[in-house]
Amino acid sequence: MFTAEVDRTFDIDIDTMWTLWTEAEHLGAWHRPSAAFGPTYATVDLRPGGSYRMEMLDPAGELHATSGTYVELDRPHRLSFTWRWDGSDHDTLVDVRLSEDGGRTRVAITHTKLVSQAEADRHAEGWIGCMSTLAATYSTA
């Protein structure tokens, strides 16, 4: 199995960052690999065993949807959830760790159980895009 890892620090406090990851309204505002994608529709049942779903349209109008189950929640430091693209029969696992850094928040994403290096590279690219969209959407500048 293969892993994608992405790490970025934001000028956002840790409690706000937790909210951006765990409330559907906020998750839908930033969770897409680039600004060329339309807004994401998100649903969240934030509890261990609860589910989430995200649907986004790419620039060509094609729907990309993923869903999963929350495995672990440790507010405001960690959330872990399964990840499955619609049409796939393979679950992967996403672990998001948030840590304080002088009023800023470091976000470390580890996406595991990917089936190839190419898939890991695509997911890393997608997560980097999501982090850029998050920064652009919630910029404090």
Side-chain angles (χ1 to χ4, degrees), residues 34-60:
S34 79
F37 277 65
T40 299
Y41 170 75
T43 59
V44 172
D45 178 10
L46 190 67
R47 61 183 174 83
S51 63
Y52 73 89
R53 181 167 176 81
M54 291 181 282
E55 300 174 351
M56 59 196 118
L57 291 175
D58 70 18

Side-chain angles (χ1 to χ4, degrees), residues 3-133:
T3 300
E5 294 182 290
V6 174
D7 192 308
R8 183 163 176 173
T9 300
F10 296 87
D11 288 325
I12 298 171
D13 68 87
I14 195 167
D15 290 318
T16 300
M17 184 62 75
W18 177 265
T19 299
L20 299 181
W21 276 89
T22 59
E23 292 185 6
E25 173 187 347
H26 295 295
L27 195 59
W30 67 264
H31 201 282
R32 57 187 169 277
S34 79
F37 277 65
T40 299
Y41 170 75
T43 59
V44 172
D45 178 10
L46 190 67
R47 61 183 174 83
S51 63
Y52 73 89
R53 181 167 176 81
M54 291 181 282
E55 300 174 351
M56 59 196 118
L57 291 175
D58 70 18
E62 184 178 341
L63 178 68
H64 299 268
T66 186
S67 57
T69 303
Y70 290 101
V71 176
E72 185 175 336
L73 300 166
D74 179 16
R75 181 185 181 115
H77 299 287
R78 182 174 180 228
L79 60 153
S80 180
F81 48 93
T82 63
W83 177 281
R84 181 185 292 199
W85 289 106
D86 278 10
S88 172
D89 62 355
H90 180 73
D91 283 344
T92 59
L93 184 67
V94 178
D95 187 68
V96 180
R97 294 187 184 257
L98 308 177
S99 55
E100 293 181 85
D101 182 10
R104 302 172 62 187
T105 302
R106 177 176 173 241
V107 177
I109 302 166
T110 305
H111 194 155
T112 60
K113 300 186 178 182
L114 298 161
V115 297
S116 69
Q117 186 60 55
E119 184 181 38
D121 292 346
R122 282 191 305 274
H123 281 83
E125 183 179 320
W127 285 116
I128 289 167
C130 286
M131 296 297 91
S132 293
T133 305

